Amino acid sequence: MAAHGRSALRDLFDESPTPHIAHPPRTHHRDFYVATDGSFRESGGGLGAVIETRDGTRVARIATMDTPPDNNVAEYRALHLGLDVLAARAPRDASVGVLIDHDALASNVNNTILATSHPDGKPPRPISIPAATRYHWRGIQARLTGFGAVRAARIDSDQNPAHPLANTPGQYQHLSHEPARCVLPDPPQSSGPDPGDPTPSEFPPPSRADRNNKQASD
C-alpha cells in the first residue's frame, strides 16, 4: 500500500534496486515516475505504461495491443512508448524514475545515464542491446538524454502496475478515451525537512555531488 500522500509508483521505486547505481532510498526522489511493461504471445501481445507525479497524481495510463516478435522487443517498445508519452507532458528538466521488470533493460538504462557523466562517454559496464530492438533503443536513448535526470529501478512483474495493461490490453480500451493531461507535481512541503532527505550533516553520494561546479547527471 502506498503511504498517504505518496505515489504508489514512488513507493515502489524507493523500495526497489537501481542496477549499478547504489544510492540509498532517500536520494531516489523524482518529479515523475513511469512504469512500463510489454507482453509477447503468438496470438498477439500488448504494451502498457503508467505515469504519475511524485505526489501521486496520475498523468497517464496506456494500454495498447501490439504484435512484437519476442518478449525483448515488447519490453523495449513499452519503455519507448512510456517515455514518449511522458516527454510530451513533462518539462525538460524533470527528474524521472523508471520502473521495469526486465533486468537487462534496467541495467542498460542506468549504464547509459552513467555514461553521460563519464569524461569519455563510456558506460561502467558494457551495454548489450538485442538486435531486433535497436531502433527502439535509439528512441529510448534520445528520451533519456532529454530529461534532467533519469534512474531505472528493477521491480518484480507482479508488482508492476503496467503488467495487466500489457497482458490484457483489450480489457483497458476505455483508457484510450481518457483526456491527455499535462500535470506538474506539487512542490515539496515547506513546513519542514522531508524525513527521507539527507540531513545537512550527511554528504550526498559521489555521483550526485556537484563536481567542479557542474551539475551531475543524476
Side-chain angles (χ1 to χ4, degrees), residues 177-213:
H177 302 297
E178 290 187 352
R181 307 180 69 193
C182 296
V183 182
L184 294 178
D186 288 338
Q189 295 291 331
S190 59
S191 58
D194 187 329
D197 288 338
T199 64
S201 62
E202 294 176 315
F203 292 93
S207 65
R208 288 178 60 89
D210 185 4
R211 299 175 180 174
N212 299 322
N213 295 321

Side-chain angles (χ1 to χ4, degrees), residues 107-117 123-124 127 137 141 144-145:
S107 175
N108 286 337
V109 168
N110 284 341
N111 270 311
T112 296
I113 295 302
L114 291 173
T116 62
S117 60
I127 295 176
W137 177 244
Q141 286 179 297
L144 293 177
T145 58

Side-chain angles (χ1 to χ4, degrees), residues 33-138:
Y33 298 87
V34 52
T36 67
D37 194 22
S39 69
F40 163 71
R41 294 186 181 87
E42 292 185 359
S43 58
L47 310 176
V50 179
I51 302 171
E52 294 178 353
T53 64
R54 63 168 170 256
D55 51 30
T57 302
R58 181 184 297 161
V59 177
R61 287 192 301 168
I62 305 102
T64 183
M65 295 181 183
D66 194 34
T67 55
D70 58 45
N71 187 64
N72 282 326
V73 173
E75 295 286 357
Y76 279 74
R77 282 183 181 177
L79 180 56
H80 192 182
L81 173 63
L83 292 177
D84 277 352
V85 172
L86 176 59
R89 292 162 171 75
R92 287 185 58 84
D93 62 349
S95 60
V96 177
V98 174
L99 299 98
I100 39 185
D101 55 29
H102 190 282
D103 289 316
L105 181 51
S107 175
N108 286 337
V109 168
N110 284 341
N111 270 311
T112 296
I113 295 302
L114 291 173
T116 62
S117 60
H118 191 280
D120 297 324
K122 296 181 179 179
R125 292 171 178 79
I127 295 176
S128 178
I129 307 299
T133 68
R134 62 186 182 277
Y135 296 117
H136 291 289
W137 177 244
R138 290 177 186 175

